[in-house]
Amino acid sequence: MFSKSTYLKRRQVLQSKLGSGLVLLLGNEESGMNYRDNVYSFRQDSTFLYYFGIDHPSLTAVIDMDNNREIIFGDELTIDDIVWTGPKEPLAEKAGKVGVTEVKPASAIAGLLKDALSRGQAIHFLPPYRGEHYLKLQEWLHVSPAEAAQKASVSLIKAVVSMRSNKTEEEVVELEKAVNTSIDMHLAFMRETRAGMTEKAIAGKLQSIAIGQGGDISYPIILTVNGEILHTHARDLAIRDGQMALCDAGAETAMHYCGDLTRTIPVGKTFTTLQREMYEIVLHAQETAIAACKPGVLFKDIHTLACTQLVDGMKQMGVVKGDPAEAVAHDVHTLFFQCGLGHMMGLDVHDMENLGEQYVGYTEDLQKGTAFGWKSLRLGRALEPGFVVTVEPGLYLIPTLIDRWKAENKLAQFIDYNRLESFRDFTGIRIEDNLLITESGNRVLGKELVKSVADVEGLRG
Amino acid sequence: MFSKSTYLKRRQVLQSKLGSGLVLLLGNEESGMNYRDNVYSFRQDSTFLYYFGIDHPSLTAVIDMDNNREIIFGDELTIDDIVWTGPKEPLAEKAGKVGVTEVKPASAIAGLLKDALSRGQAIHFLPPYRGEHYLKLQEWLHVSPAEAAQKASVSLIKAVVSMRSNKTEEEVVELEKAVNTSIDMHLAFMRETRAGMTEKAIAGKLQSIAIGQGGDISYPIILTVNGEILHTHARDLAIRDGQMALCDAGAETAMHYCGDLTRTIPVGKTFTTLQREMYEIVLHAQETAIAACKPGVLFKDIHTLACTQLVDGMKQMGVVKGDPAEAVAHDVHTLFFQCGLGHMMGLDVHDMENLGEQYVGYTEDLQKGTAFGWKSLRLGRALEPGFVVTVEPGLYLIPTLIDRWKAENKLAQFIDYNRLESFRDFTGIRIEDNLLITESGNRVLGKELVKSVADVEGLRG
């Protein structure tokens, strides 16, 4: 938890941005796996954490701007509870640490909101993403599940996004801690992965590092020899010499700030010639993109820059023909790089994703594209100091996609489909780092995590 | 997944028990942590797994007994999805493997249920435990969240409980696999725990073993030097010589059958004299209870037997006075042993807990007690061949509870409160194994996991 003044200040700024009405922030509930009391690891809502800091289930926070009240609703443990849980810090004390003096029982929220509704007060809430959010909004505000998302407050969303986007120094310290733990996970991956291991055994090991350092994983680990499958969670394969292994894994700290890194390594000691050539295309694209990250530059343009580098590389591999920039203008890159170059990172690994990419990654003047590839670019807007972003280009040879394009003879002026056939089973490569945008440019967060071919092979000795 | 005939048979038996109407089984959804797409590890509903076997999110199953139809509702991946997920087995093929030939898109369920309602067909569903269950029941059946639990079908609950309670041979094989992985976790705990480690570092290591063997943990690991706190999830302490560490941890297999074991060890190489004496009281109670587990015996009576052994031990420690059986009749044991001796185990670690303990652990003729201690005994009914249960007595010295009883001078004819003071900071011990009830008695599941003082100390060398 940060100091009391951090939370007081944040809420003060939020109030000054919104002006009037009532802000309703839903804390998260414990989440049952196969029955109510067998719960997943508790994850508090990130915006609740940002303004109220209390990492505890079944809380609701209200900022009544019209009446200058801040209230946390939740129940204190009874002495019967304490027999089972051991002594705990009372909620009132927790609230005091974030500068909230008014604490009420959970049952009081319904009445307070009813009164606010009857007074005609505007009630600002954020888009729901858990079943319990929908149930609460329905019960307390008579907002049906079907309309809950569209009734979320755009002014609240914009105010929250404007604040959470620019990380303060104390937030950067936490983020760097998360990145350093993520790097420890990747060092274990890069040093200890051996042929014959299963993907899941390695993933389990990496998760234990995140837990051991006081947090947990910030998203489900992708650990695969099929790096071209962007959303793979299959991890049953034993990895083999000659393959590459891709690891996309990050930790979150006890305060829930996230890291998000990717490395791709040879399962054997060295890359094959083809793997090395392809790896260096991705690495060059990544380094070029990182060098371009600075305030004022559209991340969309850096994405285009990286795409051009990737296409240029695939031209050198004999797969693409013609001018790389022109090819990118025709979306040729989406055959190899179907997703975005990166995204915001913070209390969420895709920071504020639940608030809507149109607000987080774009502006009224810059809307997200709708075409294949572009619609997966979560961040397009101009970078600002304090933004923390990922830069993660890749090359993904997806047989399903290759077959589809080839059947359509799509963009055949740019693609040598015969040559492409020999890359059909290449799989995929991604290299990802986390950057803080500074006044003058950027800084890659965390201690060093090697990525050159020579350095990676050095770790595989 | 078991063979097709297993699932066909189970549904046939279910139909023969229920007779008429429509069974609606809600599969689970992916569960977002901090936004919709950042998901916890998927956990399918256990009853859905039991009858339909498909371990995949966003499915609904219907057995229309009046029209002899079995339908699985869910959406096939589109070719666009496959670009992101890689090729996947189609839902229709998965359904075929469990003997279901009728597969319909997810959107078709609403209409089917509407028709069934308008025909006046009885629709049997189970008690909801996730937000999404409530939302679906509301949308499809117009059952409000407030009334969903009480509108659950008691006849369906009873039919499911009657089937899932008695494990078949193939289920026992899976359960034993889960127990053996759980034993591997405990062996790592018993061998590798050293002073200076944090509770969470050890817990992370154990979770990685569960993941590495193809499943995950079956419940949040309790790993603590405060074994008396029954519901502790705090794991920030570094453990110290002289303390005991209690580990309550279990794995579930890829098929989601669970294990649930507890061991308590000295952090140093040996127990102190007091620790050893208390440990042997618990061990004796556990072994006595295990010996008593056989068909026809009320588990409630075995609980009482274990309580009597614990109280007898505490009498030898000079804390309890008078006749142990009489003391137990007065609930003196609840000062040291506040919870139940054990519970059913299967696809859920507390098997079928979401269906209601009154149906799973008790019968119409044997209701659960309401007094402190007894209300926490999840299982009371007569054991039957095929039941899999935990046996997990303990001694828990809870300062809050000691203070409360002492202030009331409660049951002072049985308790030497002065003597008790020296046990105030003793913490707690639990020893837990998993048993299959056989025709003639019981069998402790899994390979050997030592528990005698000498054997435990042997592992601490």
Side-chain angles (χ1 to χ4, degrees):
Chain A
M1 197 179 273
F2 293 125
S3 69
K4 187 193 292 189
S5 60
T6 293
Y7 299 101
L8 283 167
K9 179 79 185 308
R10 286 175 178 174
R11 297 196 298 268
Q12 209 169 46
V13 174
L14 182 67
Q15 285 209 41
S16 72
K17 283 175 182 273
L18 275 175
S20 66
L22 184 148
V23 173
L24 170 67
L25 291 182
L26 305 178
N28 282 339
E29 300 291 323
E30 292 278 16
S31 198
M33 294 189 276
N34 44 342
Y35 49 92
R36 199 196 57 189
D37 288 344
N38 196 29
V39 293
Y40 286 113
S41 176
F42 175 68
R43 181 54 156 85
Q44 182 59 294
D45 176 72
S46 295
T47 301
F48 190 95
L49 279 176
Y50 186 80
Y51 291 106
F52 287 90
I54 307 179
D55 192 7
H56 201 75
S58 303
L59 301 178
T60 307
V62 158
I63 306 174
D64 181 345
M65 293 176 283
D66 305 327
N67 298 290
N68 200 26
R69 289 171 77 187
E70 297 179 332
I71 318 169
I72 291 176
F73 295 85
D75 294 326
E76 298 285 1
L77 291 179
T78 64
I79 188 151
D80 281 312
D81 295 329
I82 289 171
V83 166
W84 299 96
T85 63
K88 297 276 181 196
E89 185 180 42
L91 177 57
E93 275 179 35
K94 289 194 181 88
K97 287 183 179 169
V98 296
V100 174
T101 52
E102 202 173 354
V103 173
K104 290 182 172 292
S107 60
I109 182 78
L112 181 127
L113 293 173
K114 190 178 170 191
D115 292 348
L117 284 174
S118 69
R119 280 195 305 268
Q121 233 183 333
I123 299 182
H124 300 275
F125 60 87
L126 296 174
Y129 57 90
R130 285 193 181 191
E132 295 79 10
H133 298 163
Y134 290 94
L135 292 168
K136 288 175 182 174
L137 293 172
Q138 173 175 268
E139 186 186 344
W140 297 338
L141 303 180
H142 314 297
V143 172
S144 78
E147 62 187 3
Q150 86 201 43
K151 288 206 169 174
S153 163
V154 173
S155 56
L156 177 59
I157 290 171
K158 287 184 171 173
V160 171
V161 169
S162 73
M163 294 179 67
R164 285 182 54 189
S165 294
N166 301 75
K167 275 66 181 176
T168 60
E169 274 179 41
E170 61 188 351
E171 288 187 284
V172 171
V173 169
E174 273 297 312
L175 281 161
E176 194 139 30
K177 204 188 289 179
V179 173
N180 278 330
T181 300
S182 306
I183 288 174
D184 288 339
M185 295 162 68
H186 280 271
L187 285 172
F189 162 69
M190 295 169 83
R191 287 185 176 132
E192 297 172 27
T193 297
R194 293 289 178 270
M197 290 178 174
T198 59
E199 298 165 332
K200 62 195 166 199
I202 306 166
K205 161 90 189 183
L206 304 190
Q207 182 165 3
S208 75
I209 293 171
I211 293 172
Q213 294 196 19
D216 209 325
I217 48 176
S218 52
Y219 54 98
I221 292 172
I222 296 174
L223 207 153
T224 182
V225 294
N226 291 120
E228 82 284 6
I229 307 179
L230 293 164
H231 289 179
T232 188
H233 293 128
R235 304 188 307 203
D236 290 332
L237 298 176
I239 63 177
R240 302 190 316 268
D241 260 341
Q243 293 180 316
M244 292 181 295
L246 180 152
C247 176
D248 186 343
E252 59 176 46
T253 62
M255 282 183 69
H256 302 291
Y257 282 86
C258 300
D260 179 0
L261 300 171
T262 307
R263 287 294 184 268
T264 309
I265 63 171
V267 174
K269 292 190 184 207
T270 54
F271 290 99
T272 66
T273 303
L274 179 62
Q275 287 168 352
R276 193 185 62 241
E277 287 169 351
M278 295 285 274
Y279 185 93
E280 283 179 338
I281 294 170
V282 178
L283 183 59
H284 177 67
Q286 201 228 14
E287 288 176 334
T288 305
I290 290 176
C293 285
K294 61 180 178 185
V297 180
L298 291 181
F299 197 75
K300 182 171 183 281
D301 291 341
I302 303 173
H303 174 80
T304 303
L305 175 66
C307 292
T308 310
Q309 299 300 322
L310 292 171
V311 164
D312 189 48
M314 291 310 285
K315 183 178 176 184
Q316 289 163 42
M317 300 301 292
V319 176
V320 170
K321 303 177 282 189
D323 176 60
E326 199 190 335
V328 169
H330 283 79
D331 293 350
V332 169
H333 60 280
T334 64
L335 179 56
F336 316 108
F337 183 50
Q338 301 80 13
C339 55
L341 180 68
H343 52 79
M344 293 268 212
M345 198 180 84
L347 278 163
D348 304 305
V349 61
H350 292 169
D351 208 25
M352 303 171 277
E353 182 162 301
N354 60 310
L355 303 184
E357 282 172 0
Q358 68 271 42
Y359 305 111
V360 177
Y362 292 85
T363 61
E364 273 165 41
D365 300 328
L366 180 75
Q367 302 285 316
K368 193 163 82 161
T370 54
F372 183 70
W374 293 101
K375 70 181 174 189
S376 302
L377 178 62
R378 299 174 194 281
L379 177 62
R381 62 193 275 208
L383 296 174
E384 296 176 17
F387 281 17
V388 171
V389 301
T390 67
V391 176
E392 46 178 313
L395 284 173
Y396 311 110
L397 282 294
I398 302 173
T400 308
L401 191 64
I402 291 172
D403 290 344
R404 196 200 301 186
W405 281 44
K406 191 175 182 180
E408 297 171 9
N409 208 25
K410 185 169 172 177
L411 293 167
Q413 70 273 36
F414 292 108
I415 297 163
D416 183 336
Y417 280 107
N418 284 333
R419 173 80 180 137
L420 180 60
E421 272 308 301
S422 58
F423 290 79
R424 184 185 170 77
D425 297 318
F426 177 77
T427 71
I429 291 170
R430 174 164 64 256
I431 305 170
E432 175 181 21
D433 288 307
N434 305 143
L435 272 63
L436 168 69
I437 306 304
T438 60
E439 294 294 336
S440 58
N442 72 75
R443 179 167 75 79
V444 176
L445 290 176
K447 56 193 178 187
E448 194 189 6
L449 182 63
V450 299
K451 55 186 175 182
S452 76
V453 166
D455 287 344
V456 169
E457 290 182 348
L459 284 185
R460 305 290 303 143
Chain B
M1 199 179 273
F2 294 123
S3 70
K4 188 193 292 188
S5 60
T6 292
Y7 299 101
L8 283 168
K9 180 76 185 308
R10 286 176 179 174
R11 296 195 299 269
Q12 210 170 44
V13 174
L14 182 66
Q15 286 209 39
S16 72
K17 283 175 182 276
L18 275 174
S20 66
L22 186 149
V23 173
L24 170 67
L25 291 182
L26 305 177
N28 282 339
E29 299 292 322
E30 292 278 17
S31 196
M33 292 189 277
N34 44 343
Y35 49 92
R36 200 196 55 189
D37 288 344
N38 196 29
V39 293
Y40 286 113
S41 176
F42 175 68
R43 181 53 156 86
Q44 182 59 293
D45 176 71
S46 296
T47 301
F48 190 95
L49 281 175
Y50 186 82
Y51 292 105
F52 287 90
I54 307 180
D55 192 8
H56 202 74
S58 303
L59 301 177
T60 308
V62 158
I63 306 173
D64 182 345
M65 293 176 283
D66 305 327
N67 298 290
N68 199 26
R69 289 171 77 187
E70 297 179 331
I71 318 169
I72 291 176
F73 295 85
D75 294 327
E76 297 286 1
L77 291 179
T78 65
I79 189 150
D80 281 313
D81 295 328
I82 288 170
V83 166
W84 300 96
T85 63
K88 297 277 180 197
E89 185 181 41
L91 178 57
E93 276 180 35
K94 288 194 181 87
K97 287 183 179 170
V98 297
V100 174
T101 52
E102 202 173 353
V103 173
K104 290 182 173 293
S107 60
I109 182 77
L112 180 126
L113 292 174
K114 190 176 170 193
D115 291 348
L117 284 175
S118 70
R119 280 195 306 269
Q121 232 183 334
I123 300 182
H124 300 274
F125 60 87
L126 295 174
Y129 57 90
R130 286 192 182 192
E132 295 80 8
H133 298 162
Y134 290 94
L135 292 167
K136 288 175 182 175
L137 293 173
Q138 175 175 267
E139 185 185 344
W140 298 339
L141 302 180
H142 314 298
V143 172
S144 78
E147 62 187 2
Q150 86 201 44
K151 287 206 171 176
S153 164
V154 173
S155 56
L156 177 59
I157 290 172
K158 287 184 171 175
V160 171
V161 169
S162 73
M163 294 179 67
R164 285 181 55 190
S165 294
N166 301 75
K167 275 67 182 176
T168 60
E169 275 178 41
E170 62 189 351
E171 288 187 284
V172 171
V173 169
E174 273 296 313
L175 281 162
E176 194 139 28
K177 205 187 290 178
V179 173
N180 279 329
T181 300
S182 308
I183 288 174
D184 288 340
M185 295 162 69
H186 280 271
L187 285 171
F189 162 69
M190 295 170 83
R191 286 184 177 132
E192 298 172 27
T193 297
R194 292 288 178 271
M197 291 178 174
T198 58
E199 298 165 331
K200 63 196 166 200
I202 307 166
K205 161 89 189 184
L206 304 191
Q207 183 164 5
S208 76
I209 293 171
I211 294 171
Q213 294 196 17
D216 209 325
I217 48 175
S218 52
Y219 54 96
I221 293 173
I222 296 174
L223 207 152
T224 182
V225 293
N226 291 119
E228 82 284 5
I229 307 179
L230 293 164
H231 289 180
T232 188
H233 294 129
R235 304 188 307 204
D236 290 331
L237 297 175
I239 63 177
R240 302 191 315 269
D241 259 341
Q243 294 180 316
M244 292 180 295
L246 181 153
C247 175
D248 187 342
E252 58 175 48
T253 62
M255 282 184 69
H256 301 291
Y257 282 85
C258 300
D260 179 0
L261 300 171
T262 306
R263 287 293 183 270
T264 308
I265 63 170
V267 174
K269 293 190 184 208
T270 54
F271 290 98
T272 66
T273 304
L274 178 62
Q275 287 167 353
R276 194 186 64 240
E277 286 170 349
M278 295 284 273
Y279 185 92
E280 284 180 337
I281 294 170
V282 177
L283 182 59
H284 177 67
Q286 201 227 14
E287 289 176 335
T288 305
I290 290 176
C293 286
K294 62 181 179 186
V297 179
L298 292 180
F299 197 74
K300 182 171 183 280
D301 291 341
I302 303 173
H303 174 80
T304 303
L305 175 66
C307 293
T308 310
Q309 298 299 323
L310 293 170
V311 165
D312 189 48
M314 291 310 284
K315 184 178 174 182
Q316 288 164 43
M317 301 301 291
V319 175
V320 171
K321 302 177 283 188
D323 177 59
E326 199 192 332
V328 169
H330 283 80
D331 292 351
V332 168
H333 60 280
T334 64
L335 178 56
F336 316 107
F337 183 50
Q338 301 80 13
C339 56
L341 180 68
H343 52 79
M344 293 269 210
M345 198 180 84
L347 278 163
D348 305 305
V349 60
H350 291 170
D351 208 25
M352 303 172 275
E353 181 161 302
N354 60 312
L355 303 184
E357 282 172 0
Q358 68 271 41
Y359 305 112
V360 177
Y362 292 86
T363 62
E364 273 165 43
D365 299 328
L366 181 74
Q367 303 283 317
K368 193 162 81 160
T370 53
F372 182 70
W374 292 101
K375 71 181 173 190
S376 301
L377 179 61
R378 300 175 194 280
L379 177 61
R381 62 194 276 209
L383 296 173
E384 296 177 16
F387 281 17
V388 172
V389 299
T390 67
V391 175
E392 46 177 313
L395 284 173
Y396 310 111
L397 283 292
I398 303 172
T400 308
L401 191 63
I402 292 172
D403 290 344
R404 197 200 298 185
W405 281 43
K406 192 175 180 180
E408 297 172 11
N409 208 26
K410 187 169 171 177
L411 294 167
Q413 71 272 37
F414 291 109
I415 298 163
D416 182 337
Y417 280 107
N418 283 334
R419 174 79 181 138
L420 180 60
E421 271 308 302
S422 58
F423 289 80
R424 183 184 171 79
D425 297 318
F426 178 78
T427 71
I429 292 170
R430 176 164 62 255
I431 305 170
E432 175 181 22
D433 287 306
N434 305 143
L435 272 62
L436 168 68
I437 307 303
T438 60
E439 294 293 335
S440 59
N442 72 75
R443 180 167 74 80
V444 176
L445 290 176
K447 55 193 177 186
E448 193 189 7
L449 181 63
V450 299
K451 55 185 174 182
S452 75
V453 165
D455 287 344
V456 169
E457 289 181 349
L459 284 184
R460 304 291 303 143

